[in-house]
Amino acid sequence: AQKVTQAQTEISVVEKEDVTLDCVYETRDTTYYLFWYKQPPSGELVFLIRRNSFDEQNEISGRYSWNFQKSTSSFNFTITASQVVDSAVYFCALRGTGNQFYFGTGTSLTVIP
Amino acid sequence: KAGVTQTPRYLIKTRGQQVTLSCSPISGHRSVSWYQQTPGQGLQFLFEYFSETQRNKGNFPGRFSGRQFSNSRSEMNVSTLELGDSALYLCASSFSRGGAWDEQFFGPGTRLTVL
């Protein structure tokens, strides 16, 4: 079974604080891909990052960083020095064999100025 | 390059009616997937079409159907609408079917309200 769990439903932080969004996944596939998407109020999902199951290197892109650990089936997302524009719902997703995405329930992030 | 477009953006229907939603993928993309997003269930996969054939289907009743045309545009139909069908319906396109770096691009969605 494929499943993605985002235990944090809502998070509020004050601007410039760091925040980590948790993602835990389940899959029996040996080859799979993990994604993070941002959904602003407009509704359109915006792609942030993709990782395949054979690449456990952490990645940093500006204020964003991702920590992929197969041993704990986690793919956590950290925003450093958060900004008001980071306020959105963030989804973690898993794609195994085939082209179907399995999404977590999302984490709503509010950055307070 | 134009992104994924969905029409209409907003729709209000009453119970028992049927509705058709449209999705135009990014030019050159042949795979179109549909998702339903509700506050309670989150984002759930409906189905995927590739080269005019349904390749994958989620766990939804037969009232939900779709098709894809030769130009890769896709339509989704929901018959006998129920209140629980109120949701944001998202369409995503990709060039192929889950290649190593094949990314899905999402449209803005159609917000359907069933009264």
Side-chain angles (χ1 to χ4, degrees), chain B residues 19-86:
Chain B
V19 66
T20 299
L21 312 181
S22 180
C23 171
S24 292
I26 291 173
S27 178
H29 284 192
R30 295 186 295 166
S31 171
V32 173
S33 297
W34 288 89
Y35 296 84
Q36 181 196 63
Q37 185 177 19
T38 59
Q41 299 296 320
L43 273 155
Q44 293 187 290
F45 172 77
L46 280 156
F47 30 64
E48 179 212 357
Y49 285 86
F50 182 81
S51 295
E52 301 178 63
T53 303
Q54 188 180 89
R55 301 302 180 115
N56 208 348
K57 190 176 190 305
N59 189 24
F60 277 81
R63 301 185 296 107
F64 292 81
S65 64
R67 59 178 176 169
Q68 186 180 35
F69 302 94
S70 58
N71 61 358
S72 294
R73 188 177 70 85
S74 177
E75 287 182 349
M76 190 193 94
N77 184 275
V78 187
S79 62
T80 319
L81 284 166
E82 301 176 359
L83 295 179
D85 297 333
S86 294

Side-chain angles (χ1 to χ4, degrees), chain B residues 86-111:
Chain B
S86 294
L88 179 67
Y89 290 88
L90 290 165
C91 165
S93 79
S94 59
F95 179 73
S96 61
R97 297 197 65 234
W101 293 106
D102 200 23
E103 178 184 330
Q104 283 197 348
F105 294 84
F106 284 81
T110 294
R111 184 161 298 280

Side-chain angles (χ1 to χ4, degrees), chain A residues 33 35 37 39 42-45 47 50-52 55 89 91 95 97-105, chain B residues 9 31 33 35 37 43 45 48 56-57 88 90 94 96-104 106-108:
Chain A
Y33 303 92
F35 300 78
Y37 283 88
Q39 188 176 42
S42 61
E44 187 168 345
L45 284 167
F47 167 81
R50 162 187 49 228
R51 259 287 177 265
N52 74 57
D55 183 2
V89 180
F91 290 94
R95 187 179 77 202
T97 55
N99 205 23
Q100 178 176 345
F101 275 60
Y102 296 86
F103 285 88
T105 50
Chain B
R9 292 293 311 276
S31 171
S33 297
Y35 296 84
Q37 185 177 19
L43 273 155
F45 172 77
E48 179 212 357
N56 208 348
K57 190 176 190 305
L88 179 67
L90 290 165
S94 59
S96 61
R97 297 197 65 234
W101 293 106
D102 200 23
E103 178 184 330
Q104 283 197 348
F106 284 81

